[in-house]
Amino acid sequence: MWLVFNILISLLLMLLGIFQTLELVLAVYSIIAAAWIGSIFADLAILKPLGISPAFPEFKRAYLYNFNPVGCGSMAMASFVAFLCFSGTFGVMAQAYAAPIAFVSALGGALAIGVATRGRYYLARQPVELPATTPDNNLCAICGVTYEGSDMVHCTFYEQPICSLCCSLDSHCHDVCKSPGGALETSRTRYVGRALPHMRDKIAPRMGQRLLKVAGVLFALAVVAGGVFLLTYRLIEPGSEQPHLASGQLLLRVFLALLPLLGIGAWWIVLSQESRELAERDLVASLEKLRQTQSDLASNERLAAIGQITQPSAMNCAILWVPW
C-alpha cells in the first residue's frame, strides 16, 4: 500500500509538471532563508556585543513581545528587496545575486532598526527570578507537571509559577503581564478615538484594532489564494500564446471575484476569535467570583463555628456565677 501510494504521488507530480517549478520554489526559499540568517547574524554577532540587544537570548514568551521589528522587520524588508531583484527589476546581475542581496539587506536593516529602536522591543518586561529551587516552585500551576527551573516563569495573572509551554498555550490572561500598569486595556481604540473624537460614540469599541486584524487575515488569505492561482497558471501547458493569455485573464478574474468572499471570511474569522476571547474572559471572571464566594463561605463557616464554641462557654460561666 505504501509503495502504491508513493508511486501514485510521483506520477501525479510528473503529470502536473511540478518538477519544472522546483527551481523557482528553491530560489524563493533561498532568499527567505538568507534574509533570516542575515537578521540572526546581525543580532548575535553585532547587536549583542554593542549592548543594543540583551546579552542573553531570551526564549520565554512571558518576557517577549509578540513582534520584534529588529528581526521580523529586517527579514521582511530584505525579502521584499531580494524578490524585486529576483524578478529582474534591477537587472540581470541583481537577479543572479538575489540571495546574497537578501543577506546583506537583512544585516543592514537589523542594525538600522536596532539602533533606531535602541533595543526596546526585545524584552516586554524584565525576567523575574524565582525563589530557591524547590519542588513547589518547579510545579506548574496549570498543567501540574514538574519542570526544571529554567523552564519556569512567574505569571502575574495566576500569581504562581507556570511552565513556558503553558505560558505559550494559555489564552486566558491575554498577556496581562505585559500591559501597562498590569491591567488589560478595556478602553476604546486609540486610533479612532484620537483622530475622530466626535465619532468616538458612534463607532464600536476597538474598531481600529479589529480592522487591522481583518486586513492582516485578508492579506494572508489573498496571498495563499494568489499563490494557488499563480501555480495553476504556471502548470497550464498552452498550445499557443493566445490561449495562454486567455487563461491568465480568466484566472485573474476568478481571483478578483474571490476577494470579496475572502474579505467576508476574514471578518468572520476575526469575529469568531473575539467571541471566543469574550467567552474565555467571562469564564475567568466567573471562576474568580466562584473562588471569592467559596472564600467568603469558608470564612462565615469559621465564624459560625467560633460562635458555637463560645456560646456554651458563656452559659457555663453564667451558671457558675449565679450561686455566688
Side-chain angles (χ1 to χ4, degrees):
M1 292 296 298
W2 184 253
L3 179 62
V4 174
F5 179 73
N6 282 273
I7 291 177
L8 290 177
I9 291 180
S10 302
L11 291 175
L12 180 62
L13 293 177
M14 287 188 291
L15 291 176
L16 291 177
I18 196 67
F19 292 107
Q20 298 177 0
T21 62
L22 283 180
E23 183 179 358
L24 175 63
V25 173
L26 292 177
V28 172
Y29 178 76
S30 65
I31 290 173
I32 298 176
W36 175 68
I37 295 175
S39 61
I40 293 294
F41 179 79
D43 180 71
L44 296 178
I46 301 178
L47 294 178
K48 287 189 181 302
L50 292 178
I52 297 177
S53 64
F56 58 95
E58 182 59 64
F59 64 94
K60 300 175 184 176
R61 179 181 175 272
Y63 306 129
L64 298 176
Y65 284 101
N66 294 330
F67 178 79
N68 186 358
V70 178
C72 299
S74 62
M75 178 179 173
M77 179 189 66
S79 299
F80 179 74
V81 173
F83 285 149
L84 291 179
C85 296
F86 182 73
S87 63
T89 305
F90 301 108
V92 180
M93 187 64 67
Q95 184 179 10
Y97 290 95
I101 290 175
F103 178 83
V104 176
S105 301
L107 183 66
L111 294 178
I113 298 175
V115 172
T117 58
R118 297 180 181 179
R120 56 172 298 186
Y121 293 103
Y122 278 93
L123 296 178
R125 64 183 180 113
Q126 292 299 323
V128 178
E129 293 292 337
L130 295 177
T133 303
T134 60
D136 294 336
N137 292 335
N138 292 345
L139 183 64
C140 179
I142 298 179
C143 63
V145 180
T146 302
Y147 292 89
E148 297 181 358
S150 59
D151 292 330
M152 302 294 294
V153 296
H154 177 73
C155 181
T156 58
F157 182 77
Y158 294 101
E159 296 182 350
Q160 296 182 23
I162 63 175
C163 64
S164 299
L165 180 61
C166 290
C167 181
S168 301
L169 298 178
D170 186 68
S171 58
H172 293 160
C173 64
H174 299 281
D175 293 339
V176 66
C177 60
K178 306 173 188 176
S179 302
L184 292 173
E185 183 183 358
T186 56
S187 59
R188 297 186 175 212
T189 174
R190 58 184 180 181
Y191 303 103
V192 178
R194 292 180 181 178
L196 301 174
H198 61 281
M199 296 185 63
R200 185 178 301 173
D201 298 331
K202 299 181 181 180
I203 300 179
R206 305 174 67 88
M207 179 58 68
Q209 184 177 0
R210 184 180 290 114
L211 292 178
L212 289 177
K213 290 182 179 179
V214 172
V217 175
L218 177 59
F219 177 76
L221 294 177
V223 168
V224 174
V228 172
F229 280 101
L230 181 61
L231 181 61
T232 305
Y233 177 75
R234 290 184 60 87
L235 291 179
I236 295 176
E237 296 292 341
S240 61
E241 293 296 331
Q242 184 64 28
H244 191 61
L245 182 61
S247 300
Q249 293 179 354
L250 177 61
L251 291 176
L252 180 60
R253 292 178 181 178
V254 174
F255 175 73
L256 294 178
L258 187 62
L259 283 180
L261 297 179
L262 294 178
I264 297 175
W267 185 259
W268 177 78
I269 291 174
V270 172
L271 292 182
S272 300
Q273 182 183 5
E274 291 185 353
S275 300
R276 181 179 59 82
E277 292 179 355
L278 181 60
E280 291 176 353
R281 292 182 182 180
D282 293 341
L283 177 61
V284 172
S286 300
L287 292 177
E288 291 293 334
K289 292 181 180 179
L290 178 60
R291 186 181 304 173
Q292 184 65 31
T293 303
Q294 291 176 349
S295 178
D296 295 341
L297 181 60
S299 178
N300 294 334
E301 289 179 352
R302 286 193 297 268
L303 293 176
I306 294 174
Q308 292 177 359
I309 293 175
T310 56
Q311 184 176 2
S313 300
M315 293 179 61
N316 294 333
C317 291
I319 292 174
L320 294 175
W321 179 79
V322 169
W324 293 97

